[in-house]
Amino acid sequence: MGNLKIRVYNLIRDDDENGLAANILDGFIISLVVLNIISIMIDTSALPTFLREFFFITEMISVIVFTLEYVLRLWTCTYINPNEKPLKVRIRYMFSFMATVDLLSILPFYLPFLIPSTLVIFRSLRLMRILRLFKLNRYIDSLKIIALVFKRKKHQLVSCLFILAILILVSSVLIYDVERSAQPDKFKDVASGMWVIITTITTVGYGDVYPVTVPGRVLCAITLILGAASLAIPSGIISAGFVEISNETNKSNKGKNACDKKICPHCGKQIFRNIE
Amino acid sequence: MGNLKIRVYNLIRDDDENGLAANILDGFIISLVVLNIISIMIDTSALPTFLREFFFITEMISVIVFTLEYVLRLWTCTYINPNEKPLKVRIRYMFSFMATVDLLSILPFYLPFLIPSTLVIFRSLRLMRILRLFKLNRYIDSLKIIALVFKRKKHQLVSCLFILAILILVSSVLIYDVERSAQPDKFKDVASGMWVIITTITTVGYGDVYPVTVPGRVLCAITLILGAASLAIPSGIISAGFVEISNETNKSNKGKNACDKKICPHCGKQIFRNIE
Amino acid sequence: MGNLKIRVYNLIRDDDENGLAANILDGFIISLVVLNIISIMIDTSALPTFLREFFFITEMISVIVFTLEYVLRLWTCTYINPNEKPLKVRIRYMFSFMATVDLLSILPFYLPFLIPSTLVIFRSLRLMRILRLFKLNRYIDSLKIIALVFKRKKHQLVSCLFILAILILVSSVLIYDVERSAQPDKFKDVASGMWVIITTITTVGYGDVYPVTVPGRVLCAITLILGAASLAIPSGIISAGFVEISNETNKSNKGKNACDKKICPHCGKQIFRNIE
Amino acid sequence: MGNLKIRVYNLIRDDDENGLAANILDGFIISLVVLNIISIMIDTSALPTFLREFFFITEMISVIVFTLEYVLRLWTCTYINPNEKPLKVRIRYMFSFMATVDLLSILPFYLPFLIPSTLVIFRSLRLMRILRLFKLNRYIDSLKIIALVFKRKKHQLVSCLFILAILILVSSVLIYDVERSAQPDKFKDVASGMWVIITTITTVGYGDVYPVTVPGRVLCAITLILGAASLAIPSGIISAGFVEISNETNKSNKGKNACDKKICPHCGKQIFRNIE
């Protein structure tokens, strides 16, 4: 029994990279996730019956597999901390981030049996399954680096958001005052002006509303230039964050291994040189 | 009296981080600012009466609180320089950046009592209150870093603006000459061409005006590619500025504390190693 | 015969930079490639007969030249490995990347003689000829650097794609739920919502579909801000990658030559200083 | 006479920063340039007569001043190389970049007197006057840095252009094949498809043409993601270029002066520390 638990644990734990069976299981679950996403995307479209049935069966299999996986994880999670009380470990595991994702991805299927009305938000919850893709070990490190950059530069990025917010707010009020008389139906309130400014500053420009007066156009042009600058700041901050981490990683690498990675300036390939 | 002044000063001074009372006051003022901004955004919309009344009361409370705060700041600002003449310190404080912001954010309320006509610009002045969010200590440092990058790279960024301006001006004249005959109503003058070029180069593309002739489209395509390059330059300059400052900060950090921050290349977490 | 083979080999091999004849041949082939691309671009347009004939003749010459070149390359490729079996070398060469490109660029011309129906995809294959431009030696190094950056940052970039995918999927489902009732003809299914979100998040904003309800606009605005952040991450990652390689190249350069490249901070020009 | 020549030379030479008279002259010429640009922008608009006259007079003054300046520069340019033949120096000066700009900016005024027909291109030539703004010394250094970045990264940036070109060409042919049957009037030829792809890939999205079929939308979405990546590459290259130069400048600065610039990690201000 304990032996079976270990084998199941090794099969389903997130950071498994070495076993063939685990890799096959990984591939199977990734396929299910992708099929699920496609299913969500098109389940509102007019589809031929056989496709509908195919996606319905996929959904059934997904729910069964994911439920089974969730139960097995809950069962085997006691393996890491054998000295603690199983119930305590299991409850702690249930409230971990990844277990919550797993639960949220199967819950929308079971809820209609428990609660009569099916809320629209349930469809979004099924999308949670995509988060499983992040469980693949190779991407967890990269995500940690990205998260670290954002954590470090948090205050600078929030400051940029503040600058952007002020720019949007001031421009919205001004564009409303300037364009109101020319387009009373499109600039009903400051909130409408804000919609124009947001679609302008992010350079979307749907074309549903746009300035027609000369001062409105001048204002939009100035907002655009200032907005482009405001959006270049976070880009620069994030770049600096990645450069910082890459420098730090290189430095700590140097101390560790005696092999100094270098790039040949001619061919761009790495030169491996052993420092004796 | 002097004791009360010190306590009031500690309660309202900008860089306060330690007191619970000051934190509560901070939270209260931030809530007022956010409510004020929402109020400005929607005071032109058709709203139910109770919401109107809610925002009117918020406005009243804001003005009272901000006026009181301004008066108290003016009263307590003598605390830092007790040796100077109080009047001199107060006048100097009144013309400081933050005091001007504070004054501008309450002035629009009082002005109608003094001057009969209410100008449209007053609404924008009320937006000044958002600047108070920057007073929070943690963002002041970040804003200083951003400002430093812009200050250092000022000349390079202005050069980019010049390049962009030349590109816009030349393209505007050319697109006007090229498209004028095909769309005489939309390309009435060079200024109209400039509007097209600005919305093109910043990739907004509202869709109100666009080139229809082949030479016009070729011109726009070339302008777009050149414009994308021109906008990548300031982005690169700002990135380099942030990298510079991050390098300098790291260097000056190294001399100071004996704890060398490093990033584990595997998990992306910091390794704290004491250099004995 | 062997002598002729060497001369032909030197004339047509990809990394030739020294011979005048090879340079002229390079220029001739580049001209043919550019003419071919123009030909593909406009062969569906209504053209005067003499232009049609000109491009038809260009096409003929191109096919003849490129076929001849391919045959000659296949003949001379045995020159580098004279000790191996010619057939083996030739078959290996045929399946190399550049030989495949060469073959694909002439195949669409011959296929209609072999297979009756001409598929639409053949036109795209003719575009393969543009890849020949990359064979120019000076760009191969640059492409290798770019490829190296992408290879190194592969996992981080894929993580960004995952984040972007999740953002797009969740937003698509939400916008569909929010806008469905207001615009039932434009938001027929989640896939339609996805089209809106993709054109919004990449800031294209064609203007064919856009949110009209207040929650839809708020959702789009939030998606835009998050999307701009998501797109700034890969930009930062790629920047860091190029900075890394540039640092490494500088370091390995320093050891090699005793001439230390420096930039005068005043004029921006390089200072060449010999370290004796 | 020689004395007058020196004084005139010092007054009008480009890199003058110390003299008050030269600064006033600089300001006067900049004002003329700005007025000229405004004049070009609006000379096609319907204007009140007094404004037309104002700009006509400005134009007259500009031409007189710029002609006088050109003649004086030609006269005084012999001052730097007094040992060479004056005529030789003057002819060499006439073909220098800045003298050509100066000549091109006044030529359009005189040409109608020489050649009867006034070509449309003349208006663009008048825009050349904006290049004079770059003559201001403080921006010349920045422009040199920007130019140096582009020069160094030339091959990498051209490679990016190649990648972008291939992406545009292949997508254009595919979108034409895919959308032709659904929108025969908008997708008449591959060139039309190219216009759609260019406005899509640069995220302009005017909204005059957009894909309506499902394969067309999928193709556009893929092109957008690939295009965003392609545009992030040059941005990263340029960033790395600026970081490189900033590193090199810092290094060569360190050797020069004993004052080590550092940034306080707390307040973001520079710490000036003398290394004794």
Side-chain angles (χ1 to χ4, degrees):
Chain A
M1 184 64 189
N3 195 23
L4 176 70
K5 199 185 222 175
I6 294 166
R7 281 167 69 188
V8 168
Y9 174 78
N10 280 323
L11 196 65
I12 61 173
R13 71 191 163 97
D14 292 332
D15 55 347
D16 198 9
E17 281 193 306
N18 37 16
L20 177 68
N23 275 342
I24 291 170
L25 188 70
D26 256 20
F28 176 65
I29 286 179
I30 291 170
S31 312
L32 275 188
V33 168
V34 170
L35 276 173
N36 270 283
I37 291 162
I38 296 172
S39 162
I40 296 166
M41 281 298 111
I42 63 170
D43 74 344
T44 49
S45 314
L47 287 178
T49 320
F50 78 94
L51 261 181
R52 287 218 163 271
E53 276 168 1
F54 170 73
F55 281 117
F56 180 74
I57 292 161
T58 314
E59 175 72 19
M60 285 301 110
I61 295 169
S62 304
V63 169
I64 293 163
V65 169
F66 292 153
T67 307
L68 195 70
E69 199 199 359
Y70 185 73
V71 172
L72 286 175
R73 272 180 205 278
L74 212 60
W75 174 51
T76 59
C77 71
T78 58
Y79 174 70
I80 326 167
N81 306 80
N83 301 325
E84 284 188 79
K85 275 191 181 168
L87 187 72
K88 206 176 144 192
V89 174
R90 278 184 184 125
I91 287 172
R92 208 193 314 132
Y93 176 75
M94 277 184 77
F95 287 96
S96 73
F97 176 68
M98 274 312 186
T100 314
V101 165
D102 287 356
L103 184 62
L104 283 174
S105 69
I106 50 170
L107 213 61
F109 182 81
Y110 296 109
L111 274 185
F113 300 107
L114 310 173
I115 313 162
S117 76
T118 53
L119 291 164
V120 143
I121 202 92
F122 287 174
R123 194 184 287 122
S124 307
L125 284 178
R126 270 168 65 201
L127 282 171
M128 289 281 175
R129 285 174 197 167
I130 204 182
L131 288 174
R132 286 165 163 283
L133 297 178
F134 282 119
K135 285 179 158 178
L136 300 174
N137 208 30
R138 47 184 167 251
Y139 300 118
I140 288 180
D141 288 3
S142 302
L143 279 173
K144 276 180 187 160
I145 299 270
I146 294 171
L148 184 67
V149 167
F150 272 78
K151 203 179 150 193
R152 276 197 191 181
K153 303 290 176 183
K154 192 174 57 182
H155 286 153
Q156 288 185 22
L157 291 171
V158 171
S159 296
C160 289
L161 266 184
F162 276 6
I163 294 173
L164 198 64
I166 291 174
L167 188 60
I168 289 173
L169 288 170
V170 172
S171 304
S172 304
V173 169
L174 290 179
I175 196 96
Y176 166 70
D177 287 333
V178 158
E179 288 282 324
R180 192 172 26 161
S181 50
Q183 303 184 85
D185 55 322
K186 288 195 173 167
F187 287 84
K188 274 173 295 194
D189 45 20
V190 174
S192 308
M194 205 166 165
W195 173 243
V196 179
I197 290 298
I198 287 175
T199 55
T200 298
I201 225 166
T202 54
T203 75
V204 174
Y206 289 114
D208 53 342
V209 202
Y210 45 81
V212 293
T213 64
V214 172
R217 286 178 168 193
V218 170
L219 182 69
C220 265
I222 293 167
T223 308
L224 270 169
I225 302 291
L226 291 176
S230 308
L231 290 170
I233 302 172
S235 182
I237 292 169
I238 292 171
S239 287
F242 279 107
V243 172
E244 252 176 57
I245 285 171
S246 130
N247 283 345
E248 287 164 15
T249 314
N250 280 355
K251 271 178 203 160
S252 59
N253 267 354
K254 234 167 234 171
K256 274 183 188 166
N257 54 357
C259 172
D260 204 17
K261 274 184 201 174
K262 286 192 175 176
I263 299 296
C264 167
H266 180 69
C267 69
K269 280 181 195 159
Q270 285 192 358
I271 305 162
F272 289 95
R273 193 166 51 89
N274 287 309
I275 298 165
E276 84 292 8
Chain B
M1 185 65 188
N3 195 22
L4 176 69
K5 200 185 225 177
I6 294 166
R7 282 167 68 190
V8 168
Y9 175 77
N10 279 323
L11 197 65
I12 61 173
R13 72 192 163 98
D14 292 333
D15 55 348
D16 197 8
E17 282 193 307
N18 37 15
L20 177 69
N23 275 342
I24 291 171
L25 188 69
D26 257 20
F28 177 66
I29 286 179
I30 291 170
S31 312
L32 275 189
V33 168
V34 170
L35 277 173
N36 269 284
I37 291 161
I38 297 173
S39 161
I40 295 166
M41 281 299 112
I42 64 171
D43 75 344
T44 49
S45 313
L47 286 178
T49 319
F50 78 95
L51 261 180
R52 287 219 164 270
E53 276 169 2
F54 170 73
F55 281 116
F56 180 74
I57 291 162
T58 314
E59 176 72 19
M60 285 299 111
I61 294 169
S62 304
V63 170
I64 293 164
V65 169
F66 291 154
T67 309
L68 195 70
E69 200 199 357
Y70 185 74
V71 171
L72 286 176
R73 273 179 204 279
L74 213 59
W75 175 51
T76 59
C77 72
T78 57
Y79 175 68
I80 324 167
N81 306 82
N83 300 325
E84 285 187 79
K85 274 192 182 170
L87 187 71
K88 205 176 145 191
V89 174
R90 279 185 183 124
I91 287 172
R92 208 193 314 133
Y93 177 75
M94 277 183 77
F95 287 96
S96 74
F97 176 68
M98 274 312 187
T100 314
V101 165
D102 288 356
L103 184 62
L104 283 174
S105 69
I106 51 170
L107 213 61
F109 182 81
Y110 294 109
L111 275 185
F113 298 107
L114 310 173
I115 312 162
S117 76
T118 53
L119 291 164
V120 142
I121 202 95
F122 287 174
R123 194 185 285 124
S124 307
L125 284 178
R126 270 168 66 201
L127 282 171
M128 289 281 175
R129 285 175 196 165
I130 204 183
L131 287 175
R132 288 166 162 282
L133 296 178
F134 282 119
K135 285 180 158 176
L136 300 174
N137 208 31
R138 47 185 166 249
Y139 300 118
I140 289 179
D141 288 1
S142 301
L143 279 173
K144 276 179 187 161
I145 299 270
I146 294 170
L148 184 67
V149 167
F150 272 77
K151 202 178 150 193
R152 277 198 192 181
K153 303 290 177 183
K154 194 175 54 183
H155 286 152
Q156 289 186 21
L157 291 171
V158 171
S159 297
C160 289
L161 266 184
F162 276 7
I163 295 173
L164 199 64
I166 291 174
L167 188 59
I168 290 174
L169 288 170
V170 173
S171 304
S172 305
V173 169
L174 291 178
I175 197 96
Y176 166 70
D177 286 334
V178 158
E179 289 283 323
R180 194 171 24 161
S181 51
Q183 303 183 84
D185 55 322
K186 288 196 172 165
F187 287 84
K188 275 174 294 194
D189 45 20
V190 174
S192 308
M194 205 166 166
W195 173 244
V196 179
I197 290 299
I198 287 176
T199 57
T200 298
I201 225 166
T202 55
T203 75
V204 175
Y206 288 115
D208 53 342
V209 202
Y210 45 81
V212 292
T213 64
V214 171
R217 285 177 169 194
V218 170
L219 182 68
C220 265
I222 294 166
T223 308
L224 270 169
I225 303 291
L226 291 176
S230 307
L231 290 170
I233 302 171
S235 181
I237 292 169
I238 292 171
S239 287
F242 278 108
V243 171
E244 253 177 57
I245 285 171
S246 130
N247 283 345
E248 286 164 16
T249 315
N250 279 356
K251 271 178 204 160
S252 58
N253 267 354
K254 233 166 234 171
K256 273 184 188 165
N257 54 357
C259 172
D260 205 17
K261 275 184 200 174
K262 287 191 176 177
I263 300 296
C264 167
H266 180 69
C267 69
K269 280 181 195 160
Q270 286 192 357
I271 304 162
F272 289 95
R273 192 164 52 88
N274 287 310
I275 300 167
E276 82 283 24
Chain C
M1 186 64 188
N3 194 23
L4 176 69
K5 200 185 223 176
I6 294 167
R7 281 167 68 189
V8 168
Y9 175 76
N10 279 324
L11 195 66
I12 61 173
R13 72 190 163 98
D14 293 333
D15 55 348
D16 197 9
E17 281 193 308
N18 37 15
L20 178 67
N23 276 342
I24 289 170
L25 188 71
D26 257 19
F28 176 65
I29 286 179
I30 291 169
S31 312
L32 275 187
V33 169
V34 170
L35 276 173
N36 268 284
I37 291 161
I38 296 173
S39 162
I40 295 166
M41 281 299 111
I42 63 171
D43 74 344
T44 50
S45 313
L47 286 179
T49 320
F50 76 95
L51 261 180
R52 287 218 164 272
E53 277 168 2
F54 170 73
F55 281 117
F56 180 75
I57 292 161
T58 314
E59 176 72 19
M60 285 300 111
I61 295 169
S62 304
V63 169
I64 294 163
V65 170
F66 292 155
T67 308
L68 195 71
E69 200 198 358
Y70 184 74
V71 171
L72 286 176
R73 273 180 204 277
L74 213 59
W75 175 52
T76 60
C77 72
T78 58
Y79 174 71
I80 325 168
N81 305 81
N83 301 325
E84 285 188 78
K85 274 191 182 168
L87 187 72
K88 203 177 146 193
V89 174
R90 279 189 182 121
I91 287 172
R92 208 195 312 133
Y93 176 75
M94 276 184 77
F95 287 96
S96 73
F97 176 68
M98 274 313 186
T100 315
V101 165
D102 288 357
L103 183 63
L104 283 174
S105 68
I106 50 170
L107 213 61
F109 182 81
Y110 296 109
L111 275 184
F113 298 107
L114 310 172
I115 312 162
S117 75
T118 54
L119 290 164
V120 142
I121 202 93
F122 287 174
R123 194 184 285 125
S124 308
L125 284 179
R126 270 167 66 200
L127 282 171
M128 289 281 175
R129 286 175 196 165
I130 204 182
L131 287 174
R132 287 164 163 283
L133 297 178
F134 282 119
K135 284 179 158 177
L136 300 173
N137 208 31
R138 48 183 165 250
Y139 299 119
I140 288 178
D141 288 1
S142 302
L143 279 173
K144 276 180 187 161
I145 298 270
I146 294 171
L148 184 67
V149 167
F150 271 77
K151 202 178 150 194
R152 276 198 192 180
K153 303 290 176 183
K154 193 174 56 182
H155 287 153
Q156 288 186 20
L157 291 170
V158 171
S159 297
C160 289
L161 266 184
F162 276 6
I163 295 173
L164 198 65
I166 291 174
L167 187 59
I168 288 173
L169 288 170
V170 173
S171 303
S172 304
V173 169
L174 290 179
I175 197 94
Y176 166 69
D177 287 333
V178 159
E179 289 282 323
R180 192 171 28 159
S181 52
Q183 303 182 83
D185 55 322
K186 288 196 171 165
F187 287 83
K188 275 173 294 195
D189 45 19
V190 175
S192 308
M194 206 166 165
W195 173 244
V196 180
I197 290 299
I198 287 176
T199 56
T200 297
I201 225 166
T202 54
T203 75
V204 175
Y206 288 116
D208 53 342
V209 203
Y210 45 82
V212 293
T213 64
V214 171
R217 285 179 169 193
V218 170
L219 182 68
C220 266
I222 294 167
T223 308
L224 270 169
I225 303 290
L226 290 176
S230 308
L231 290 170
I233 302 172
S235 182
I237 292 168
I238 292 171
S239 288
F242 279 107
V243 171
E244 252 176 58
I245 285 171
S246 130
N247 283 345
E248 287 164 16
T249 315
N250 280 355
K251 271 177 203 161
S252 59
N253 267 354
K254 235 166 234 171
K256 275 183 187 166
N257 54 358
C259 171
D260 204 16
K261 274 184 201 174
K262 285 190 176 178
I263 300 296
C264 167
H266 181 68
C267 69
K269 281 181 196 160
Q270 285 193 356
I271 304 162
F272 289 94
R273 192 165 53 86
N274 287 309
I275 298 167
E276 84 287 19
Chain D
M1 186 63 188
N3 196 21
L4 176 68
K5 199 186 225 178
I6 295 167
R7 282 167 69 188
V8 168
Y9 175 78
N10 279 324
L11 196 64
I12 61 174
R13 72 191 163 99
D14 292 333
D15 55 347
D16 197 8
E17 281 194 309
N18 37 16
L20 178 67
N23 276 342
I24 291 171
L25 188 70
D26 257 19
F28 176 66
I29 286 179
I30 291 170
S31 312
L32 276 188
V33 168
V34 170
L35 277 173
N36 269 284
I37 291 162
I38 297 173
S39 162
I40 295 166
M41 282 297 112
I42 63 170
D43 75 343
T44 50
S45 314
L47 286 179
T49 321
F50 78 95
L51 260 180
R52 286 217 164 273
E53 276 168 2
F54 170 74
F55 281 116
F56 180 74
I57 291 162
T58 312
E59 176 72 19
M60 285 301 111
I61 295 170
S62 303
V63 169
I64 293 163
V65 169
F66 291 154
T67 309
L68 195 69
E69 200 199 358
Y70 185 73
V71 171
L72 286 177
R73 273 180 203 277
L74 213 60
W75 176 51
T76 59
C77 71
T78 58
Y79 174 70
I80 324 167
N81 306 80
N83 301 324
E84 285 188 78
K85 273 191 182 169
L87 187 71
K88 204 177 145 191
V89 174
R90 279 189 182 120
I91 287 171
R92 207 195 313 133
Y93 176 75
M94 277 183 78
F95 286 96
S96 74
F97 176 68
M98 274 313 187
T100 315
V101 165
D102 288 356
L103 183 63
L104 283 174
S105 69
I106 49 171
L107 213 62
F109 182 81
Y110 296 109
L111 274 185
F113 298 107
L114 309 173
I115 313 161
S117 76
T118 54
L119 291 165
V120 143
I121 202 94
F122 287 174
R123 193 184 286 122
S124 308
L125 284 179
R126 270 167 66 200
L127 282 171
M128 289 281 175
R129 286 175 197 165
I130 205 183
L131 287 175
R132 287 163 163 283
L133 296 178
F134 281 119
K135 285 179 159 178
L136 299 174
N137 207 31
R138 47 183 166 251
Y139 299 118
I140 289 179
D141 287 2
S142 302
L143 280 173
K144 276 179 188 162
I145 299 270
I146 294 171
L148 184 68
V149 167
F150 272 77
K151 202 177 149 194
R152 276 197 192 181
K153 303 291 177 182
K154 192 175 54 183
H155 286 152
Q156 289 187 20
L157 291 170
V158 171
S159 297
C160 290
L161 266 184
F162 276 7
I163 294 173
L164 199 64
I166 292 173
L167 188 59
I168 290 174
L169 288 170
V170 173
S171 305
S172 304
V173 169
L174 291 178
I175 196 96
Y176 166 70
D177 286 333
V178 158
E179 288 283 322
R180 192 171 27 160
S181 51
Q183 304 183 83
D185 55 322
K186 288 195 172 167
F187 287 83
K188 275 173 295 195
D189 45 19
V190 175
S192 307
M194 205 167 165
W195 173 244
V196 180
I197 290 298
I198 287 175
T199 56
T200 297
I201 225 167
T202 55
T203 76
V204 175
Y206 289 115
D208 52 341
V209 202
Y210 44 82
V212 293
T213 65
V214 171
R217 286 179 169 193
V218 169
L219 181 68
C220 265
I222 293 166
T223 308
L224 269 169
I225 303 291
L226 290 176
S230 309
L231 289 170
I233 302 171
S235 182
I237 292 170
I238 292 172
S239 288
F242 279 107
V243 171
E244 253 177 56
I245 284 172
S246 129
N247 283 345
E248 287 165 16
T249 315
N250 280 355
K251 271 178 203 160
S252 59
N253 267 354
K254 233 165 234 170
K256 273 182 189 168
N257 53 358
C259 172
D260 204 16
K261 274 184 200 173
K262 286 190 175 176
I263 299 297
C264 167
H266 180 68
C267 68
K269 281 180 194 160
Q270 286 192 357
I271 304 163
F272 289 94
R273 191 165 53 88
N274 287 308
I275 299 167
E276 84 285 23

